[in-house]
Coordinates of all heavy atoms in Angstrom, one line a residue:
S1528 N 61.3 84.8 43.9 CA 61.3 85.8 45.0 C 61.7 87.2 44.5 O 61.5 88.2 45.2 CB 62.3 85.4 46.1 OG 63.6 85.2 45.7
A1529 N 62.3 87.3 43.3 CA 62.7 88.6 42.7 C 61.5 89.4 42.4 O 61.5 90.6 42.2 CB 63.6 88.4 41.5
F1530 N 60.3 88.7 42.2 CA 59.1 89.4 41.8 C 58.2 89.8 43.0 O 57.4 90.7 42.9 CB 58.3 88.5 40.8 CG 59.2 88.2 39.6 CD1 59.9 87.1 39.5 CD2 59.3 89.2 38.6 CE1 60.7 86.8 38.3 CE2 60.1 89.0 37.5 CZ 60.8 87.8 37.4
S1531 N 58.3 89.0 44.1 CA 57.5 89.3 45.3 C 57.7 88.1 46.2 O 58.2 87.0 45.8 CB 56.1 89.6 45.1 OG 55.3 88.4 44.9
S1532 N 57.3 88.2 47.5 CA 57.3 87.1 48.4 C 56.4 86.0 47.9 O 56.7 84.8 48.2 CB 57.0 87.5 49.8 OG 55.7 88.0 49.8
W1533 N 55.4 86.3 47.1 CA 54.5 85.3 46.6 C 55.2 84.4 45.6 O 54.8 83.3 45.3 CB 53.3 85.9 45.9 CG 52.4 86.6 46.9 CD1 52.4 88.0 47.2 CD2 51.5 86.1 47.8 NE1 51.5 88.3 48.1 CE2 50.9 87.1 48.5 CE3 51.0 84.8 48.0 CZ2 49.9 86.9 49.5 CZ3 50.0 84.6 49.0 CH2 49.5 85.6 49.7
G1534 N 56.3 84.8 45.0 CA 57.1 84.1 44.0 C 58.0 83.1 44.6 O 58.6 82.3 43.9
E1535 N 58.2 83.1 45.9 CA 59.1 82.1 46.5 C 58.6 80.7 46.2 O 57.4 80.4 46.3 CB 59.2 82.3 48.1 CG 60.2 81.4 48.7 CD 61.6 81.5 48.1 OE1 62.2 82.6 48.1 OE2 62.1 80.5 47.6
G1536 N 59.5 79.8 45.9 CA 59.2 78.4 45.5 C 59.0 78.3 44.0 O 58.7 77.2 43.6
F1537 N 59.2 79.3 43.3 CA 59.1 79.3 41.8 C 60.4 79.9 41.2 O 61.1 80.6 41.8 CB 57.9 80.1 41.3 CG 56.6 79.5 41.8 CD1 56.1 79.8 43.0 CD2 55.9 78.7 40.9 CE1 54.9 79.3 43.4 CE2 54.7 78.2 41.3 CZ 54.2 78.4 42.6
F1538 N 60.6 79.6 39.9 CA 61.6 80.3 39.1 C 61.0 80.8 37.8 O 60.0 80.2 37.3 CB 62.8 79.5 38.9 CG 62.6 78.2 38.1 CD1 62.9 78.3 36.7 CD2 62.3 77.0 38.7 CE1 62.7 77.1 35.9 CE2 62.1 75.9 37.9 CZ 62.3 75.9 36.5
R1539 N 61.6 81.8 37.2 CA 61.2 82.2 35.9 C 62.2 81.8 34.9 O 63.4 82.0 35.0 CB 61.0 83.8 35.8 CG 60.4 84.2 34.5 CD 60.2 85.6 34.4 NE 61.5 86.3 33.9 CZ 61.6 87.5 33.5 NH1 60.6 88.3 33.5 NH2 62.8 88.0 33.2
L1540 N 61.7 81.2 33.8 CA 62.5 80.8 32.7 C 62.0 81.6 31.5 O 60.8 81.7 31.2 CB 62.2 79.3 32.4 CG 62.7 78.7 31.1 CD1 64.3 78.7 31.2 CD2 62.2 77.3 30.9
S1541 N 62.9 82.3 30.9 CA 62.6 83.0 29.7 C 63.6 82.7 28.6 O 64.7 82.3 28.9 CB 62.6 84.5 30.0 OG 63.8 85.0 30.4
Y1542 N 63.1 82.9 27.4 CA 64.1 82.7 26.3 C 63.8 83.6 25.1 O 62.7 83.9 24.8 CB 64.1 81.2 25.9 CG 62.8 80.7 25.3 CD1 62.6 80.8 23.9 CD2 61.8 80.2 26.1 CE1 61.4 80.3 23.3 CE2 60.6 79.7 25.5 CZ 60.4 79.8 24.2 OH 59.3 79.3 23.6
A1543 N 64.9 84.0 24.5 CA 64.9 84.8 23.3 C 66.2 84.5 22.6 O 67.1 85.3 22.6 CB 64.8 86.3 23.6
C1544 N 66.2 83.2 22.1 CA 67.5 82.7 21.5 C 67.1 81.8 20.4 O 65.9 81.5 20.1 CB 68.3 82.1 22.6 SG 67.5 80.7 23.4
S1545 N 68.1 81.2 19.8 CA 67.9 80.2 18.8 C 67.3 78.9 19.4 O 67.5 78.6 20.6 CB 69.2 79.9 18.0 OG 70.0 79.2 18.9
F1546 N 66.7 78.1 18.5 CA 66.1 76.8 19.0 C 67.3 76.0 19.5 O 67.1 75.3 20.5 CB 65.4 76.1 17.8 CG 64.9 74.8 18.2 CD1 63.7 74.7 19.0 CD2 65.5 73.6 17.9 CE1 63.2 73.5 19.4 CE2 65.0 72.4 18.3 CZ 63.9 72.3 19.0
E1547 N 68.4 76.0 18.9 CA 69.5 75.2 19.3 C 70.0 75.6 20.7 O 70.3 74.7 21.6 CB 70.7 75.3 18.3 CG 70.4 74.6 17.0 CD 69.6 75.5 16.1 OE1 69.4 76.7 16.3 OE2 69.0 74.9 15.1
Q1548 N 70.1 76.9 21.0 CA 70.5 77.3 22.3 C 69.4 77.0 23.4 O 69.8 76.6 24.5 CB 70.7 78.8 22.3 CG 71.9 79.3 21.5 CD 72.0 80.8 21.4 OE1 71.0 81.4 21.0 NE2 73.1 81.4 21.7
L1549 N 68.2 77.1 23.0 CA 67.1 76.8 23.9 C 67.1 75.3 24.2 O 67.0 74.9 25.4 CB 65.8 77.1 23.3 CG 64.5 76.7 24.1 CD1 64.5 77.4 25.4 CD2 63.3 77.0 23.3
E1550 N 67.3 74.5 23.2 CA 67.4 73.0 23.4 C 68.5 72.6 24.3 O 68.4 71.8 25.3 CB 67.5 72.3 22.1 CG 67.4 70.8 22.2 CD 67.4 70.1 20.8 OE1 68.1 70.6 19.9 OE2 66.7 69.1 20.7
A1551 N 69.7 73.2 24.1 CA 70.9 72.9 24.9 C 70.6 73.3 26.4 O 70.9 72.6 27.3 CB 72.1 73.6 24.4
G1552 N 70.1 74.5 26.6 CA 69.8 74.9 28.0 C 68.7 74.1 28.7 O 68.9 73.7 29.9
L1553 N 67.7 73.7 28.0 CA 66.7 72.9 28.6 C 67.2 71.5 28.9 O 66.8 70.8 29.9 CB 65.4 72.8 27.7 CG 64.6 74.0 27.6 CD1 63.5 73.9 26.5 CD2 64.1 74.4 28.9
N1554 N 68.1 71.0 28.0 CA 68.7 69.7 28.3 C 69.6 69.7 29.6 O 69.6 68.8 30.4 CB 69.6 69.2 27.1 CG 68.7 68.7 26.0 OD1 67.6 68.3 26.1 ND2 69.3 68.7 24.8
R1555 N 70.3 70.8 29.8 CA 71.1 71.0 31.0 C 70.2 71.1 32.2 O 70.5 70.5 33.3 CB 72.0 72.2 30.9 CG 73.2 71.9 29.9 CD 74.3 73.0 30.0 NE 73.8 74.3 29.9 CZ 73.7 75.0 28.7 NH1 74.0 74.4 27.6 NH2 73.4 76.3 28.7
L1556 N 69.1 71.8 32.1 CA 68.1 72.0 33.2 C 67.5 70.6 33.5 O 67.4 70.3 34.7 CB 67.0 73.0 32.8 CG 66.0 73.3 33.9 CD1 66.7 73.8 35.2 CD2 65.0 74.3 33.4

Side-chain angles (χ1 to χ4, degrees):
S1528 60
F1530 299 97
S1531 78
S1532 61
W1533 294 99
E1535 185 55 61
F1537 294 83
F1538 65 91
R1539 187 178 84 168
L1540 170 67
S1541 60
Y1542 65 92
C1544 58
S1545 71
F1546 179 78
E1547 291 78 18
Q1548 290 171 313
L1549 175 62
E1550 184 175 37
L1553 289 176
N1554 285 339
R1555 289 194 304 273
L1556 183 58

